[in-house]
Amino acid sequence: MAALIPMVRRVIAARVADAATVDDLVQETLVRVLAAAGRVEPGMLEPYAIVTARNVVTSQWRERDRHQRNQHRVVDLRPSAAVDEDLLAREERDAVAQALTRLSAQERDLLLAHEVSGRDTRSLAGELGSTAGAVAAQLNRTRARLRVEYLLSVEGVEPPTDRCRPVLLALSGGDRRRQREVDAGRHLLECGSCARLSQPLMERGQPREDEVRVRVESDADIVAARQAARELASRLGFSRTDLTLIATAVSEIARNIVRFAGSGEVLVELLEHPHQGVRVVARDTGPGIADVERALTDGYSTYDGLGLGLPGARRLMDEFAVVSEMGRGTTVTMTKWRTGR
């Protein structure tokens, strides 16, 4: 399959000028060839891939033509926003005041002393009989909680379950260890309220350069996930062929999420230990897989649950694992190590 990539790229690049579109169409071609590999004689894979590449390009042209023909029908009906600045400012002040009341007296006094009165952590530590580092850590936890309470106040909602606040606090503080302990990733898939509230909490922090998280609900998200994986992996110097294999595997897993689970997420992260590589974790809260071993068998396909594309994705990556629970969803973890290390 890897040997087909340069040939498929040449066929598509001869017909499409945009490099990003070429990458997408190459990956789409490989997905289709992988799906049909079990039904095609080994010696016929190359001509089959050429024909498939041409058909993919033709389909893309037809879709673009249809879009251009119907573009004039698109009308933006959204009304212009008329923002009352005074009302907005008052609501902001009220939300901050309400959030402060939800802190303990000790948390509130410490935060106000530092942020409003300008006391440094050293002087506060001397007064409390603690250390400057401990005071700084306490301030960070208090700020994280204040952000959560402020957001809840602004939105006018209360967390629907007891698990919600611990998850939101872990996200607000950027505490990855705590996020794993409370299984934040799965909770965000199961709780729509926290999934919505989590966005401003995660966006406010410094973006991590070694990971990217993509919410997957539609075909457009499949493209976003595979592009994100390709771009992140390229920072480690993966070959062009390996980048295509990684992106194709991510595309297949993300496609399964959309087709069988409806929604989920794909997390792509760079690894430095034990050596350089890229790890992909795809989670969903769909129906689950009844027989994981059977789902990983070449040629297996079913519309009753996940299965289509798993064997192909496993062949493209160096490490591959599936954990599934009926009625709760599936987690696929796969890793590609950079060769020549």
Side-chain angles (χ1 to χ4, degrees):
M1 193 60 62
L4 294 176
I5 294 176
M7 180 269 297
V8 170
R9 186 178 296 278
R10 286 196 299 272
V11 171
I12 294 176
R15 294 164 172 78
V16 178
D18 181 66
T21 303
V22 170
D23 286 338
D24 285 343
L25 296 183
V26 168
Q27 290 151 18
E28 181 64 26
T29 300
L30 290 178
V31 167
R32 297 188 183 189
V33 174
L34 274 171
R39 304 189 302 273
V40 179
E41 290 293 328
M44 291 295 296
L45 271 182
E46 183 171 336
Y48 181 81
I50 293 174
V51 172
T52 302
R54 291 172 179 169
N55 290 339
V56 166
V57 173
T58 301
S59 298
Q60 194 253 359
W61 283 343
R62 288 174 179 168
E63 176 63 22
R64 181 177 298 177
D65 182 60
R66 183 192 65 78
H67 176 73
Q68 290 176 346
R69 290 199 311 271
N70 293 283
Q71 193 170 18
H72 68 283
R73 301 179 181 178
V74 179
V75 180
D76 189 358
L77 301 178
R78 293 174 296 178
S80 58
V83 180
D84 189 324
E85 295 293 339
D86 292 336
L87 177 60
L88 182 60
R90 187 162 57 250
E91 290 178 347
E92 291 274 344
R93 289 195 298 270
D94 291 344
V96 171
Q98 186 174 354
L100 284 170
T101 63
R102 296 183 178 182
L103 301 179
S104 69
Q106 181 180 356
E107 290 174 327
R108 186 166 56 249
D109 292 344
L110 182 63
L111 185 63
L112 294 176
H114 182 68
E115 300 292 344
V116 178
S117 302
R119 301 276 303 279
D120 59 29
T121 55
R122 187 184 298 272
S123 63
L124 290 170
E127 184 178 304
L128 297 172
S130 182
T131 64
V135 171
Q138 177 61 47
L139 284 169
N140 287 335
R141 290 192 294 269
T142 301
R143 292 190 191 98
R145 183 178 176 191
L146 182 65
R147 286 190 292 268
V148 172
E149 299 300 343
Y150 167 78
L151 183 61
L152 294 172
S153 178
V154 166
E155 296 289 333
V157 298
E158 279 296 319
T161 71
D162 293 338
R163 290 189 60 201
C164 294
R165 261 195 174 86
V167 168
L168 294 176
L169 286 172
L171 295 173
S172 180
D175 188 340
R176 300 182 72 185
R177 180 184 61 82
R178 182 60 178 159
Q179 290 170 24
R180 290 193 295 269
E181 289 177 354
V182 298
D183 200 5
R186 177 163 296 281
H187 179 75
L188 293 182
L189 294 178
E190 296 174 341
C191 179
S193 178
C194 286
R196 179 173 55 85
L197 294 172
S198 68
Q199 293 304 310
L201 293 177
M202 292 190 291
E203 289 170 0
R204 64 157 298 280
Q206 293 294 327
R208 294 183 58 90
E209 296 184 354
D210 61 346
E211 72 174 34
V212 62
R213 189 183 303 268
V214 180
R215 181 79 177 180
V216 178
E217 296 178 336
S218 65
D219 288 344
D221 299 327
I222 298 174
V223 176
R226 71 191 184 199
Q227 288 179 344
R230 169 184 282 275
E231 292 172 4
L232 198 62
S234 66
R235 300 179 190 175
L236 292 183
F238 276 98
S239 68
R240 197 169 187 177
T241 297
D242 279 346
L243 290 176
T244 300
L245 296 179
I246 292 168
T248 302
V250 170
S251 180
E252 274 294 86
I253 298 304
R255 193 185 309 277
N256 276 344
I257 291 177
V258 173
R259 180 174 297 171
F260 300 114
S263 65
E265 70 168 10
V266 172
L267 171 66
V268 186
E269 55 184 338
L270 299 183
L271 302 176
E272 293 291 342
H273 303 286
H275 35 257
Q276 289 187 325
V278 60
R279 178 167 57 205
V280 179
V281 181
R283 299 186 184 92
D284 68 68
T285 53
I289 306 174
D291 189 339
V292 173
E293 290 300 322
R294 185 183 175 205
L296 291 173
T297 302
D298 288 334
Y300 174 77
S301 175
T302 177
Y303 283 90
D304 296 326
L306 278 171
L308 184 64
L310 288 178
R314 181 172 65 169
R315 287 196 299 271
L316 297 177
M317 303 295 275
D318 296 325
E319 297 179 7
F320 194 92
V322 179
V323 177
S324 188
E325 184 177 348
M326 296 302 296
R328 291 206 62 195
T330 301
T331 299
V332 176
T333 304
M334 50 189 185
T335 304
K336 189 75 170 178
W337 299 110
R338 189 172 70 84
T339 56
R341 52 185 179 271

